[in-house]
Amino acid sequence: MSTSATDHDVADLDLADLGHQRIAWADANMPVLTSIRERFAKERPLSGAVIAACLHVTTETANLLRTLKAGGAEVLICASNPLSTQDDVAASLVRDENIPTFAVKGENAELYYAHIDALLDRHPTMTMDDGCDTVSRIHSTRPDQVSEILAGTEETTTGVIRLRAMEAEGALKYPIVAVNDADTKHMFDNRYGTGQSTLDGVIRATNVLLAGKRVVVAGYGYCGKGVASRARGHGAQVIVTEINPLRALEAVMDGFRVEPMEVAAAEGDIFITVTGNRDVLRAEHFERMQDGAIVANSGHFDIEIDLIKLAEMSEGQRRHVRPMVEEFSVRGKHILVIAEGRLVNLSAAEGHPAAVMDMSFANQALAAEWVMANAATLEKRVYDVPRTIDAEIARLKLETMGIDIDRLTAAQEEYLGSWQTGT
Ligand code: ADE
């Protein structure tokens, strides 16, 4: 089915000039993606594909979509989070790139799913998710469309966890490439991207001084590692909470205090959840928090902070005190929640910087190419990004940064391939 950008739902097309300018700014910091785009324009490896992208609608995503189009794909986009859309970018995608775009910052749950449906109505042959919502929607409401889909890709940890659970249950009905699990994705985007952009969101929303504050980071995966290390870099005292002994140990060895949330709740000035799980901050923690505690989430879904309970505890005593900051009063104590407990880095700031999304989206573009080349043999399971793609992205990134590295000598190569040499 062919589409046109007259099919769209965006906030305001008059914002397109600003969006266009900002997309170009991001592009200047995405050299790996640019080189892929130039090759794609010549080789057209995605010809015939209709790609439904359910991603955060940002300047960086716009450059990914331009790359997929250059590769010959027909591209459709909707938001992967109700608060993360950059409305100027959405406008420019429609006006300048002719991409059917369905995304409005602040859309409610009904519109959010209507936008996913608008993409599915156009019968995609590939899905590109950030959080698995398109895959979930197809599996639960449109099983008849599954056979039209060659494969999907998944951008984020939370989505990959869900997809692996679907695979384990035999419920996954088409192949998925776990882009998140590529080293050039999670070791950089999750750590350095989330680390910087999460604090950016907290600071933009509150203008808080991090130096000297006690920052509690819940979760010490790659995202938590990034947030904890960047908060420490700002001069904060960082306390990590974990449920995984290995990660807790790692946090201790990295020099952080590790405590149960029950204890940390009474000590923290700022709380940031990055666990991927639900109810990480709940009633007993709100009870213990100090007056003026700031609470934010940088995990994919808005379930890490039990806001329903907090609202109940505050008995209607809640008010917006700044854009993106809501104050809940609990028996005279104030708890400040940023961005409704949604992804703080994308809701209150601009998400990860382009230089790091360069690698994440290079993985997306090359994974789409790999799907097109291998579609006939793929099974209904979760695939890793091939190591050769990962290595090539690392090589290209270093090259664009002007950094050279050593190469193995012939003797070293032989040594690594041998087992006879010892003491
Ligand atoms: N996820 C985190 N940061 C992002 C960005 N800038 N663009 C798209 N997805 C993101």
Side-chain angles (χ1 to χ4, degrees), residues 32-50:
V32 177
L33 195 63
T34 304
S35 71
I36 293 170
R37 189 182 313 132
E38 285 163 3
R39 179 173 66 76
F40 273 16
K42 289 186 207 119
E43 298 175 7
R44 309 280 285 173
L46 307 182
S47 293
V50 180

Side-chain angles (χ1 to χ4, degrees), residues 140-156:
S140 56
T141 67
R142 304 191 185 213
D144 47 313
Q145 274 184 236
V146 161
S147 60
E148 300 169 2
I149 297 180
L150 301 176
T153 65
E154 172 54 51
E155 171 77 7
T156 202

Side-chain angles (χ1 to χ4, degrees), residues 147-197:
S147 60
E148 300 169 2
I149 297 180
L150 301 176
T153 65
E154 172 54 51
E155 171 77 7
T156 202
T157 316
T158 300
V160 170
I161 290 169
R162 289 182 154 197
L163 289 157
R164 292 204 191 277
M166 287 173 80
E167 180 186 14
E169 273 181 29
L172 186 64
K173 297 208 169 65
Y174 62 84
I176 298 286
V177 185
V179 165
N180 177 73
D181 292 359
D183 287 345
T184 46
K185 198 282 180 181
H186 68 268
M187 289 172 68
F188 297 86
D189 165 319
N190 300 27
R191 180 163 44 183
Y192 307 114
T194 306
Q196 177 168 315
S197 62

Side-chain angles (χ1 to χ4, degrees), residues 320-337:
H320 286 278
V321 288
R322 272 169 76 95
M324 290 284 159
V325 184
E326 198 172 2
E327 179 192 79
F328 291 77
S329 303
V330 181
R331 291 187 290 284
K333 180 173 79 181
H334 305 105
I335 295 177
L336 300 162
V337 178

Side-chain angles (χ1 to χ4, degrees), residues 55-61 86 130 155 189 194 197 345-346 350-354 357 361:
L55 300 172
H56 301 295
V57 180
T58 65
T59 54
E60 293 76 22
T61 301
Q86 298 172 1
D130 187 322
E155 171 77 7
D189 165 319
T194 306
S197 62
N345 61 338
L346 281 141
E350 292 172 68
H352 305 347
M357 293 312 293
F361 286 163

Side-chain angles (χ1 to χ4, degrees), residues 229-418:
S229 103
R230 268 35 186 171
R232 175 158 66 188
H234 275 268
Q237 296 170 39
V238 178
I239 302 168
V240 170
T241 71
E242 248 303 339
I243 46 87
N244 177 324
L246 198 75
R247 288 196 178 151
L249 193 59
E250 204 182 355
V252 172
M253 300 292 181
D254 286 345
F256 296 109
R257 248 163 78 197
V258 174
E259 290 175 351
M261 186 59 87
E262 205 183 329
V263 177
E267 297 175 351
D269 299 301
I270 300 168
F271 295 82
I272 300 170
T273 56
V274 257
T275 69
N277 211 333
R278 59 178 303 164
D279 306 333
V280 179
L281 290 177
R282 45 186 189 268
E284 64 262 37
H285 306 131
F286 301 134
E287 289 289 0
R288 289 185 174 81
M289 282 180 192
Q290 306 176 45
D291 185 30
I294 294 173
V295 171
N297 166 52
S298 212
H300 185 80
F301 288 115
D302 61 342
I303 52 170
E304 304 212 11
I305 305 168
D306 188 353
L307 284 183
I308 297 175
K309 195 72 203 172
L310 183 59
E312 242 176 73
M313 289 165 74
S314 64
E315 296 171 346
Q317 302 276 298
R318 54 192 284 188
R319 61 184 184 125
H320 286 278
V321 288
R322 272 169 76 95
M324 290 284 159
V325 184
E326 198 172 2
E327 179 192 79
F328 291 77
S329 303
V330 181
R331 291 187 290 284
K333 180 173 79 181
H334 305 105
I335 295 177
L336 300 162
V337 178
I338 306 180
E340 304 167 15
R342 295 191 187 277
L343 276 167
V344 67
N345 61 338
L346 281 141
S347 304
E350 292 172 68
H352 305 347
V356 79
M357 293 312 293
D358 189 26
M359 285 190 281
S360 313
F361 286 163
N363 272 291
Q364 286 284 10
L366 297 184
E369 180 181 35
W370 182 80
V371 163
M372 290 301 278
N374 294 281
T377 59
L378 297 182
E379 293 164 18
K380 295 168 187 173
R381 63 180 186 84
V382 179
Y383 286 85
D384 286 333
V385 173
R387 297 299 296 172
T388 46
I389 292 183
D390 221 353
E392 177 62 4
I393 291 171
R395 192 194 63 75
L396 278 170
K397 189 71 179 173
L398 282 170
E399 191 178 287
T400 64
M401 294 166 90
I403 296 169
D404 205 1
I405 59 171
D406 287 332
R407 277 155 198 81
L408 293 173
T409 64
Q412 285 172 327
E413 209 152 336
E414 192 192 327
Y415 175 77
L416 289 179
S418 71

